[in-house]
Amino acid sequence: MVPLRVCHRLVHLRGLPSSLRPPLPSTMAAPQPGCKTLRPTTTSSPSPAGPATKRSRTMATDAAASPASAGCSAMKAEFTGHAEYLNALNDKRERLVKASRDVTMNSKKVIFQVHRISKNNREEVLSKAENDLAAVVNQYIGKLVKELQGTDFWKLRRAYTPGVQEYIEAATFCRFCKTGTLLGLAEINDSLLALSDESIEPLQINVLDYLLGVADLSGELMRLAIGRISDGEVEHAKNICAFVRDIYRELTLLVLLMDDNNEMKKKMEVMLQSVVKIENACFSVHVRGSEYIPMLGTSGESDYPFFGAADYDQ
C-alpha cells in the first residue's frame, strides 16, 4: 500500500525530468528476483486512432463439442421414441374404453331381452337374445380383438375388462335360460378365435374376468327367480336357487386362493345377498304358498294345499 504523502509527491514530480526526480521509497522499489508481481489485466483502452475492438470469445471448438452433441442427439432420439410409444398406447387405451362401453351397453340389452321370458314366449325370446348376442360378438368384441392383437393383454386389461365382464354375464345368462347349465370359459374363448388373425396371438378372456362375470350372473338369476315365482313357476325358481347356491359355494372356495382381489371380494358379498333373497322367496312360497299363489294370476288349481289339508272346505 503506497502512503498518501508519497502519492502527493509523485503528482508534483510527474512533470520533472528523470534526472531531477528523487529516488522512490523502499515500498515502491523494483521487485526482487523470485518475487511475484501483480500484473493488471489487459483491458481494451481507447487508442488515439479509435476505440479498441473487443476480442470475441467462443465456448469450445467444433472438435471438442462434437462428442457432447452426439450424446445429446442420442438421448433426444431415445426420449422421442418413448414419447411416441406412450402416445400410441394412450390412443389405443381410449379406443379400447370406447369399444368396452359399446360392449357393455349392448350386452345389457341382451340381458333385458332375456328377462322378458315367460312360459308362452320362451323360444322366441331366447332366439332373439342369441341373435343379439352374436351381433355383439361380431361388431363390438371384434373391435377389441383387432386392437389387442399382438399386445400385452394385461397391460390394457383395465380399459376393456368392464365390457368383457358384461358380455360374460349376458352369455352365461342366455345359456342357463336355454339349457340350465353354466357356459364355460373354454367355450367362450373358442368362439372368439374366428375373430382373430391366425398369424397373431388371439384375444383370450382370462380366468379373472370370467369369474367376475359369473359373480355378476347371480344378480340376474335372482331377478329371474323372483319373476318366475310371480308367474307361478315355483319349481323353476327352486332350480335357480340351487344353481346360484352351488356357484356361490364353489367361488367361496376359490376366492381363498386369489391374491387379494378386492373386486372379487365385493362381488362375493353381493352374490351372498342374491342367494339369501332367492332362498327367502322360495321359502316363503313353500311355507305360505297357498295364501297368495292363486292371487298372482295363475290358474285356480292350487298345487299347495292349505297346511297340507286338501279337503279343508269340506
Side-chain angles (χ1 to χ4, degrees), residues 114-127:
V114 176
H115 275 300
R116 298 190 181 98
I117 194 171
S118 64
K119 293 183 296 184
N120 300 326
N121 62 355
R122 182 174 179 274
E123 297 296 333
E124 179 183 356
V125 169
L126 290 179
S127 177

Side-chain angles (χ1 to χ4, degrees), residues 166-178:
E166 197 69 29
Y167 165 72
I168 292 174
E169 182 181 356
T172 53
F173 191 39
C174 289
R175 174 60 62 88
F176 175 79
C177 292
K178 184 176 182 180

Side-chain angles (χ1 to χ4, degrees), residues 13-81:
L13 297 175
R14 181 179 298 176
L16 296 176
S18 61
S19 60
L20 298 179
R21 293 179 185 178
L24 294 175
S26 60
T27 55
M28 300 185 63
Q32 298 296 329
C35 297
K36 294 182 179 180
T37 58
L38 298 176
R39 296 181 179 179
T41 57
T42 57
T43 57
S44 58
S45 58
S47 61
T53 58
K54 294 184 178 180
R55 179 183 296 178
S56 61
R57 297 181 179 182
T58 57
M59 297 297 295
T61 59
D62 296 338
S66 57
S69 301
C72 294
S73 300
M75 184 178 296
K76 185 177 180 180
E78 186 73 16
F79 275 100
T80 301

Side-chain angles (χ1 to χ4, degrees), residues 85-129:
Y85 170 76
L86 292 177
N87 291 332
L89 187 66
N90 290 331
D91 293 341
K92 178 173 288 189
R93 181 180 288 108
E94 292 298 325
R95 293 193 298 269
L96 290 174
V97 170
K98 176 62 171 60
S100 177
R101 285 199 296 263
D102 294 338
V103 173
T104 301
M105 180 180 61
N106 290 276
S107 297
K108 286 184 179 295
K109 292 181 179 179
V110 175
I111 294 175
F112 297 154
Q113 175 69 26
V114 176
H115 275 300
R116 298 190 181 98
I117 194 171
S118 64
K119 293 183 296 184
N120 300 326
N121 62 355
R122 182 174 179 274
E123 297 296 333
E124 179 183 356
V125 169
L126 290 179
S127 177
K128 188 176 186 307

Side-chain angles (χ1 to χ4, degrees), residues 40-294:
T41 57
T42 57
T43 57
S44 58
S45 58
S47 61
T53 58
K54 294 184 178 180
R55 179 183 296 178
S56 61
R57 297 181 179 182
T58 57
M59 297 297 295
T61 59
D62 296 338
S66 57
S69 301
C72 294
S73 300
M75 184 178 296
K76 185 177 180 180
E78 186 73 16
F79 275 100
T80 301
H82 289 303
E84 292 176 354
Y85 170 76
L86 292 177
N87 291 332
L89 187 66
N90 290 331
D91 293 341
K92 178 173 288 189
R93 181 180 288 108
E94 292 298 325
R95 293 193 298 269
L96 290 174
V97 170
K98 176 62 171 60
S100 177
R101 285 199 296 263
D102 294 338
V103 173
T104 301
M105 180 180 61
N106 290 276
S107 297
K108 286 184 179 295
K109 292 181 179 179
V110 175
I111 294 175
F112 297 154
Q113 175 69 26
V114 176
H115 275 300
R116 298 190 181 98
I117 194 171
S118 64
K119 293 183 296 184
N120 300 326
N121 62 355
R122 182 174 179 274
E123 297 296 333
E124 179 183 356
V125 169
L126 290 179
S127 177
K128 188 176 186 307
E130 289 178 349
N131 294 334
D132 294 342
L133 191 64
V136 172
V137 174
N138 295 328
Q139 297 180 11
Y140 303 107
I141 295 185
K143 295 181 181 179
L144 293 178
V145 173
K146 293 179 181 179
E147 291 291 343
L148 293 171
Q149 281 186 345
T151 61
D152 190 356
F153 301 142
W154 287 97
K155 184 182 299 182
L156 298 172
R157 175 183 169 272
R158 291 188 177 275
Y160 67 88
T161 182
V164 171
Q165 294 179 25
E166 197 69 29
Y167 165 72
I168 292 174
E169 182 181 356
T172 53
F173 191 39
C174 289
R175 174 60 62 88
F176 175 79
C177 292
K178 184 176 182 180
T179 63
T181 58
L182 180 64
L183 181 63
L185 176 60
E187 188 173 354
I188 294 177
N189 285 329
D190 290 341
S191 64
L192 299 179
L193 292 177
L195 303 174
S196 304
D197 189 359
E198 296 180 356
S199 60
I200 306 177
E201 183 180 0
L203 170 64
Q204 295 288 280
I205 298 175
N206 56 74
V207 179
L208 180 58
D209 289 338
Y210 174 75
L211 295 179
L212 292 172
V214 172
D216 290 335
L217 175 64
S218 61
E220 304 302 332
L221 292 178
M222 181 268 295
R223 298 181 184 91
L224 181 65
I226 301 300
R228 296 307 91 219
I229 291 175
S230 63
D231 289 343
E233 301 180 27
V234 182
E235 292 299 326
H236 189 24
K238 289 182 179 180
N239 295 333
I240 296 175
C241 181
F243 181 77
V244 177
R245 191 188 294 121
D246 292 340
I247 293 179
Y248 177 76
R249 181 178 64 252
E250 298 296 333
L251 290 182
T252 303
L253 300 175
L254 187 60
V255 169
L256 298 176
L257 304 177
M258 301 178 68
D259 296 334
D260 193 20
N261 192 284
N262 295 326
E263 188 177 2
M264 190 66 187
K265 291 181 179 179
K266 293 178 181 178
K267 293 195 175 186
M268 288 299 295
E269 296 176 359
V270 178
M271 191 174 186
L272 177 59
Q273 297 176 3
S274 301
V275 173
V276 172
K277 290 179 181 179
I278 300 174
E279 289 179 345
N280 289 339
C282 294
F283 179 76
S284 298
V285 170
H286 182 75
V287 174
R288 304 173 57 189
S290 61
E291 297 183 9
Y292 62 89
I293 284 294

